[in-house]
Amino acid sequence: MADSRLHELSEAGVSVWIDTLSRDLVHGGGLARMMKEDAVVGVTSNPTIFQKAIASGEAYDEQLKECAGEGLDVGETFIRLAERDVAEACDLLREVWDDGDGQDGYVSIEVDPTLAYETGATFEQAMRFHAEIDRPNLLVKIPATRPGLAAIEDVIARGKSINVTLIFSLQRYREVVEAHIRGLERLVAAGGDPRRVASVASFFVSRVDSEADARLEAIGGHEELAGRLAVANAKLAYAHWQEAYSGERWEYLASKGATPQRCLWASTSTKNPAYRDVLYVEELIAPDTVNTMPEETLRAFQDHGEVRGATACEGLDEARALLDELAAAGVDYDDVVETLEAEGVQKFADSFAELLEGIREKRERLVTA
């Protein structure tokens, strides 16, 4: 019998990751407790998460003063702070990585979101993070913009592990999968070893419903379509995953030791209070997937979440039909997902700017004091 609801979720094939990271979480034992009690086997982070962590408390003060003494600018200061947090979290999760033969135990750090449309700069920073953090269970997050696709392929071709983030559309997800497979093919062709190259594709969920529901409300009269697109979208992505990571092309790479790029469900907190608070966990259960949850969603599922089998594999015909129904109602799917990608990049860039300004202000206060 599973120890808890989250352990039961894990036994159903879903890797439980936590979508938060801070120095206090690592040093204070919070992450270790989640690993033991809540089946947590991975960590994701982004500029917004680091902004909240660094702004609160005193955990970063000493290192901020050290960086000021070295004359580092705010951008390099942030990298120094984030790299330490991520390296320490990687060390804490290393046992999970070792015991699971590299299936889980990963910690993610994101490239500068202002580089989202610059292929070369994204590639260089991803390679820098891997070189400086130097942990086998590190994932570097690269946004799935069109320029990001080439960087994704190039980083994988160099034998490095990545987390592809900010995926909203099915077409872009297909392109991400293709970039992953091509990168592995290049790595193998060059004589490289794909066995330690891990990847996840972070498919954003709740924001899809927020955008589609707002458009439905503006149109009026289609209440039965609300709150359905996000789950349908993710289910169709998983169906493509099953198809892409099978067949002769993939079997050749698998024979060399390559592992599939797993679907990771991100943005899984429910934005609409009318919806069940664990909706995007309960409805997206499937083998070989990851669900990264903010702590409030983790706690909610631990309290009252239900595991009802491989729900992400059910209702595919209805999911496909929903896209047609939304189009008939006047909701343009392509425009919804394109809008979300652009907004997602901009939101992370805005958070990054806030983060750097917060570091600047806090460092000045500390130096003055």
Side-chain angles (χ1 to χ4, degrees):
M1 183 176 177
D3 294 338
S4 71
R5 288 182 169 88
L6 287 165
H7 286 90
E8 186 181 358
L9 183 66
S10 177
E11 290 176 4
V14 180
S15 293
V16 178
W17 291 11
I18 187 74
D19 192 23
T20 187
L21 179 62
S22 69
R23 198 157 292 182
D24 286 338
L25 187 69
V26 176
H27 290 183
L31 180 56
R33 283 193 298 274
M34 289 180 190
M35 291 167 63
K36 180 180 179 181
E37 299 172 6
D38 303 313
V40 168
V41 290
V43 175
T44 51
S45 63
N46 60 45
T48 303
I49 289 167
F50 274 118
Q51 177 196 354
K52 293 175 181 175
I54 294 171
S56 61
E58 302 175 351
Y60 298 88
D61 289 3
E62 280 304 312
Q63 196 180 8
L64 279 168
K65 287 187 281 189
E66 290 173 10
C67 291
E70 293 179 39
L72 299 182
D73 64 25
V74 289
E76 287 297 316
T77 297
F78 164 68
I79 288 174
R80 190 76 64 83
L81 298 175
E83 285 184 341
R84 179 182 291 182
D85 280 6
V86 170
E88 290 179 349
C90 281
D91 292 342
L92 186 58
L93 282 153
R94 178 63 186 269
E95 184 177 350
V96 174
W97 187 86
D98 287 334
D99 290 347
D101 197 28
Q103 176 76 358
D104 281 303
Y106 291 97
V107 182
S108 296
I109 185 171
E110 186 159 350
V111 297
D112 180 343
T114 65
L115 306 177
Y117 300 108
E118 299 179 33
T119 301
T122 293
F123 171 81
E124 292 297 333
Q125 190 169 82
M127 296 301 292
R128 175 187 175 179
F129 282 150
H130 271 295
E132 293 181 353
I133 297 175
D134 192 24
R135 302 294 195 279
N137 53 333
L138 172 71
L139 294 177
V140 176
K141 295 174 79 171
I142 298 176
T145 57
R146 190 164 295 283
L149 294 170
I152 290 161
E153 180 180 332
D154 288 346
V155 172
I156 291 169
R158 294 284 290 272
K160 302 302 180 183
S161 299
I162 60 169
N163 175 342
V164 184
T165 189
L166 285 176
I167 306 172
F168 296 95
S169 83
L170 293 167
Q171 176 57 34
R172 185 53 52 81
Y173 174 60
R174 286 190 284 268
E175 294 167 351
V176 166
V177 170
E178 180 64 19
H180 175 247
I181 293 175
R182 279 202 310 264
L184 288 173
E185 288 171 337
R186 286 171 53 192
L187 175 64
V188 169
D193 183 358
R195 286 177 295 179
R196 292 305 187 201
V197 180
S199 185
V200 294
S202 293
F203 208 86
F204 279 50
V205 185
S206 65
R207 295 188 196 180
V208 175
D209 272 345
S210 297
E211 182 67 22
D213 287 0
R215 297 186 185 207
L216 285 168
E217 185 176 355
I219 294 166
H222 297 281
E223 292 80 5
E224 76 283 359
L225 301 179
R228 295 173 56 193
L229 180 58
V231 168
N233 202 37
K235 285 183 175 183
L236 293 174
Y238 184 72
H240 179 71
W241 177 85
Q242 291 176 303
E243 180 182 323
Y245 292 100
S246 62
E248 186 176 338
R249 185 185 183 193
W250 177 252
E251 286 168 4
Y252 171 74
L253 291 171
S255 74
K256 301 295 184 181
T259 55
Q261 177 187 67
R262 290 182 293 167
C263 290
L264 180 152
W265 313 127
S267 183
T268 55
S269 61
T270 308
K271 305 298 189 289
N272 188 333
Y275 301 157
R276 186 165 165 82
D277 58 358
V278 289
L279 169 69
Y280 303 122
V281 183
E282 291 179 337
E283 297 300 324
L284 294 175
I285 298 171
D288 298 312
T289 59
V290 180
N291 197 307
T292 185
M293 310 176 207
E295 190 170 358
E296 61 268 24
T297 305
L298 186 89
R299 295 287 161 238
F301 194 90
Q302 191 69 294
D303 180 68
H304 53 264
E306 298 177 7
V307 177
R308 301 188 301 268
T311 51
C313 303
E314 301 168 355
L316 292 179
D317 289 341
E318 290 87 345
R320 295 185 187 98
L322 178 65
L323 299 183
D324 294 332
E325 294 173 52
L326 286 166
V331 175
D332 184 335
Y333 171 83
D334 289 337
D335 188 65
V336 167
V337 292
E338 286 170 11
T339 297
L340 287 168
E341 180 183 301
E343 287 182 350
V345 172
Q346 188 59 53
K347 285 177 180 177
F348 279 170
D350 291 345
S351 287
F352 192 66
E354 272 188 66
L355 167 65
L356 295 185
E357 183 58 31
I359 289 173
R360 180 182 291 107
E361 291 175 358
K362 192 165 190 179
R363 186 178 64 181
E364 288 176 359
R365 289 198 304 271
L366 290 169
V367 171
T368 303

